[in-house]
Structure formats: structure tokens, C-alpha cells
Amino acid sequence: MKIIKLLYVKYVLSFVICILSSFIVFFIFSLISNLGEEYSFITILKLSVLNSFQILTYIPLFVFLFSIILFSTFLKSRNEIIIIKSYLSINKLMIVIIPIVLIFTIFEINKKNMALFLENNKLNLIQTNSVSKAKILINKVGNKKTYTVFKNLDLNNLEDTEYRSYNINNRVINKADFSAELTYSNNTIILNNYTQYNTNIIKDYETEKKIKINLANLVLNNSLVKDISLKNNIQLNLKLFNFLIFLLLVLSYIFLNFFSVNFLSSKQSYKIPIFIGLSMLMYAFLIFNNSFSSFKQVFEILASILVTILFLKTYANE
């Protein structure tokens, strides 16, 4: 238990150092970039802090890798890693690893929601004294996304309100609508006339177009951006489950590489484990953020199979 406690204390210290150093670097760059904006200094400070946290939410896996490098270096500097490997079996070491890996997996899965939350706070901070009101709705189905944007939204007076919608398929805008003449009744927006972009053709329509949206609830929502995508479907659950398994295995595999018997000696550098870790993270980014439409899920499943084989091989060797 003392060894396990020591490992957690050392790792927490490594993680705190990693987070603080990364935060300070991001904060300095954010502060410099925001100094040119016409905001009060307090607003700039708050905005820089939110920017720094937002950047960190985008890179939890790289924070994990850097914290493991620092953690392993601390243990290796006093030859503690040799003692730990002598007293802890691979099964007990996995007990230490799993909670850390699980925490970072949860952060990685939810990073988009956290980033969106911080983005809303940034926009609310900037627009605190602004008369203009804006709302953005996001609806995602598979590779298709629909962005609905309202500018100057005011239920009491829609004269200055503008409506825009963008239908995106595989990162290409296929269709877009714009209207500055709106009426609202019975949870339905009526575009009295609108301009539409469709397959490289722009055309004006004098006819009405009705869209079902509850503007009352939208106005009451404090968030600038609201995701209305349907979350509970089988395909998404399968994809999420596969991503969860992949992350658990790839992070455990990276962790085990730093504790391999081949790198216990103080004379051995961590160049190979660092290269493996960076390669696996880049591989994960390319596989799960590609624009393939037909074989995307096949590549993701194959990636999980590959990582499973690598993890089991490393686990067996230890």
C-alpha cells in the first residue's frame, strides 16, 4: 500500500506541474493576443484564463503523455522505479494505472462539451455590455451537420433579427438559407422571403418557409451555442463504446511502455517510449478525426483491434 500511495503522490505532483506549466504558457500567449482588443483589463484577464482552460480541454491526451514522462523521470532519477518494479507485479501496477487512465478517458470523451461550455462563457463575458443577442443551434446526424444562427434575437421585436442556416455534409456546405424578414407564432418561425444557396446556385424566394423552433426556450437558455443533436441512438453508442475501449487500451499501453524492463536503468533514455506515445496519439487523432464517410467506422474498429494486440503483447512481456 505504501508503494501504491507513493506512486499516486508522485503522479499527482507530476500532473500538477504539467498542468500549471501548460496553463502559464497558454495564459501568457492568450494575454498577449487579447491585449489588442478593446476590453477592460479585468475582462482581458478573465478571457485569457478561459482561453487557457479551453486549450487544455482540447489536449487531455497530450497532457497525459507529458505527465507520464515527468512522472517516470521523477521515479527514475532516484532509482525508485527499479524498486517499484521489484515489489509490484504487473497486475498490481495495472490497478494503479487504471484509475488514471479512466480519468483521462472521461476527459477526452467529454472534451467537446467542456470546450463548448468555456466558449459560451467567453462569449457571454464579451457580450455582457452588448445590445446584440445571438443564438446558435447545432444538429448533427452522422457526417451531416446543421447550424442555425439567429442574430439580434428579440422575441418582442423581430425587425432586426436575422436567420441563417447551413447544412454541412463531410465538411462541405451543401445548402444555406438567409432571411431578415421573420415572424414567429406557435413555436414556428416563418421566413416571409429568403435567399438560398443550393449546389452552387444562389436564388431569392418570395414564398414563405416555416421552421419548427421553440424560440421562447432558446431565448431563456443562457448559452450562446446549443447542441440539439439526438444523442441516444445505437450507432452513436457503438462508436462511443469503441472509442472508450480504444482510449483505455492506448493509454494503458503508453503507460506500460514507460515502465518496461528495457528502460529501468538510469542509462536508458525514454526516447523510444516518448516516440511510441506521440505516434499513438497522432494515430488516434488521424483515425477518429478523419473525413472518411464509407469506411470510417471500419478504420476505428481496426484501430481498437491493433491497440488491443499491442497492449496484450506488452502486458505479456512484462
Side-chain angles (χ1 to χ4, degrees):
M1 284 298 294
K2 288 184 178 180
I3 294 178
I4 294 176
K5 184 179 179 180
L6 172 68
L7 286 172
Y8 280 126
V9 170
K10 291 276 186 179
Y11 180 76
V12 169
L13 177 62
S14 304
F15 175 74
V16 170
I17 293 173
C18 182
I19 285 290
L20 284 178
S21 57
S22 300
F23 179 84
I24 290 170
V25 171
F26 296 148
F27 177 77
I28 291 172
F29 281 102
S30 297
L31 185 62
I32 293 171
S33 64
N34 288 326
L35 284 175
E37 302 292 337
E38 296 180 355
Y39 305 129
S40 66
F41 187 68
I42 297 299
T43 301
I44 289 174
L45 286 177
K46 291 179 180 179
L47 196 59
S48 299
V49 169
L50 290 174
N51 274 334
S52 304
F53 279 122
Q54 190 175 32
I55 295 170
L56 286 172
T57 61
Y58 285 124
I59 55 168
L61 297 187
F62 287 95
V63 172
F64 169 82
L65 178 60
F66 294 144
S67 65
I68 294 301
I69 294 171
L70 197 59
F71 174 55
S72 305
T73 304
F74 281 158
L75 294 177
K76 199 174 184 179
S77 62
R78 299 176 60 182
N79 292 322
E80 292 173 322
I81 194 168
I82 298 176
I83 300 172
I84 290 166
K85 285 287 289 185
S86 301
Y87 283 93
L88 282 185
S89 64
I90 185 64
N91 293 328
K92 289 183 179 179
L93 186 59
M94 285 303 301
I95 293 175
V96 177
I97 293 173
I98 288 173
I100 298 172
V101 166
L102 190 60
I103 290 171
F104 277 95
T105 299
I106 293 171
F107 271 101
E108 177 65 21
I109 290 174
N110 293 285
K111 70 178 184 180
K112 289 184 179 179
N113 293 331
M114 292 186 291
L116 185 61
F117 172 77
L118 291 170
E119 185 66 24
N120 285 329
N121 279 275
K122 282 167 52 181
L123 292 170
N124 288 335
L125 180 66
I126 294 171
Q127 296 180 355
T128 299
N129 299 319
S130 177
V131 178
S132 176
K133 297 179 181 179
K135 294 290 180 181
I136 301 172
L137 294 176
I138 301 174
N139 188 12
K140 181 179 179 182
V141 180
N143 293 322
K144 297 179 180 180
K145 286 184 179 179
T146 301
Y147 290 90
T148 304
V149 182
F150 291 96
K151 184 180 179 182
N152 300 323
L153 181 59
D154 186 353
L155 281 180
N156 298 320
N157 184 9
L158 293 175
E159 287 185 5
D160 297 326
T161 303
E162 294 181 0
Y163 168 90
R164 294 178 175 88
S165 70
Y166 306 92
N167 293 341
I168 301 173
N169 189 6
N170 291 324
R171 302 180 183 180
V172 177
I173 298 177
N174 294 328
K175 184 179 177 182
D177 291 335
F178 169 80
S179 178
E181 295 187 19
L182 287 71
T183 53
Y184 179 67
S185 177
N186 298 325
N187 294 333
T188 302
I189 295 174
I190 302 172
L191 310 182
N192 297 317
N193 57 67
Y194 61 98
T195 302
Q196 186 177 88
Y197 165 85
N198 195 352
T199 59
N200 297 324
I201 297 174
I202 300 176
K203 186 177 179 181
D204 292 326
Y205 290 88
E206 299 296 332
T207 57
E208 291 184 349
K209 183 175 182 178
K210 296 182 179 181
I211 303 163
K212 275 279 186 181
I213 294 179
N214 192 330
L215 280 185
N217 288 341
L218 188 60
V219 170
L220 291 174
N221 194 313
N222 292 326
S223 300
L224 175 74
V225 182
K226 185 178 181 181
D227 192 343
I228 58 173
S229 307
L230 294 176
K231 304 292 184 181
N232 299 321
N233 58 74
I234 296 174
Q235 184 179 2
L236 183 59
N237 287 336
L238 288 174
K239 182 177 180 179
L240 181 61
F241 178 75
N242 181 63
F243 189 44
L244 174 65
I245 296 299
F246 176 87
L247 287 175
L248 290 173
L249 291 172
V250 77
L251 296 185
S252 299
Y253 171 66
I254 292 171
F255 208 128
L256 287 179
N257 271 288
F258 282 90
F259 279 80
S260 173
V261 292
N262 299 321
F263 306 105
L264 294 182
S265 173
S266 57
K267 297 180 180 179
Q268 295 287 337
S269 70
Y270 280 127
K271 289 182 181 179
I272 294 177
I274 291 173
F275 176 76
I276 291 173
L278 287 173
S279 299
M280 295 307 298
L281 295 187
M282 291 303 297
Y283 176 70
F285 177 80
L286 292 173
I287 291 297
F288 288 92
N289 293 277
N290 63 71
S291 58
F292 299 131
S293 56
S294 301
F295 303 102
K296 181 176 174 64
Q297 196 165 1
V298 175
F299 280 116
E300 292 176 356
I301 293 171
L302 289 175
S304 295
I305 295 172
L306 174 63
V307 171
T308 302
I309 294 170
L310 292 173
F311 170 76
L312 291 176
K313 181 182 177 181
T314 306
Y315 184 84
N317 289 337
E318 293 297 320

